[in-house]
């Protein structure tokens, strides 16, 4: 859906320069990734790479680390055939 694409665009453009965008963006992906269809969409849209990049950039931000780790854990349970 459009909301997921907008979220990726915001994370890609602003997530590495704005901690708030990184925190809330990874938090939103964490929540979205509870749903199997969303997990597939996130993976297809290269979401894992985006999350890992954000996670690497904000190593000292505990909220980004917590949200991104949880999102990646939820995404890890998805297998795309």
């Amino acid at each position: 859906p459009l909301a997921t694409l907008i979220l990726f665009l915001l994370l890609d453009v602003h997530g590495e320069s704005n901690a708030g965008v990184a925190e809330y963006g990874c938090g939103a992906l964490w929540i979205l990734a509870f749903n199997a269809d969303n997990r597939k969409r996130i993976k297809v849209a290269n979401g894992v790479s985006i999350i890992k990049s954000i996670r690497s950039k904000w190593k000292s931000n505990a909220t980004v680390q917590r949200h991104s780790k949880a999102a990646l854990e939820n995404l890890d349970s998805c297998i795309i055939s």
Side-chain angles (χ1 to χ4, degrees), residues 16-73:
E16 290 196 15
S17 63
N18 186 307
V21 170
E23 289 175 7
Y24 287 107
C26 287
L29 289 173
W30 172 18
I31 293 166
L32 287 169
F34 278 106
N35 175 279
D37 290 334
N38 288 337
R39 285 193 301 267
K40 290 177 185 176
R41 287 184 191 106
I42 291 167
K43 281 192 156 190
V44 167
N46 202 29
V48 172
S49 294
I50 293 171
I51 295 168
K52 286 181 177 180
S53 176
I54 297 293
R55 187 171 170 78
S56 176
K57 169 66 179 173
W58 296 102
K59 289 181 182 179
S60 64
N61 185 305
T63 304
V64 172
Q65 293 300 306
R66 183 173 58 252
H67 289 180
S68 61
K69 181 181 180 206
L72 290 170
E73 287 172 348

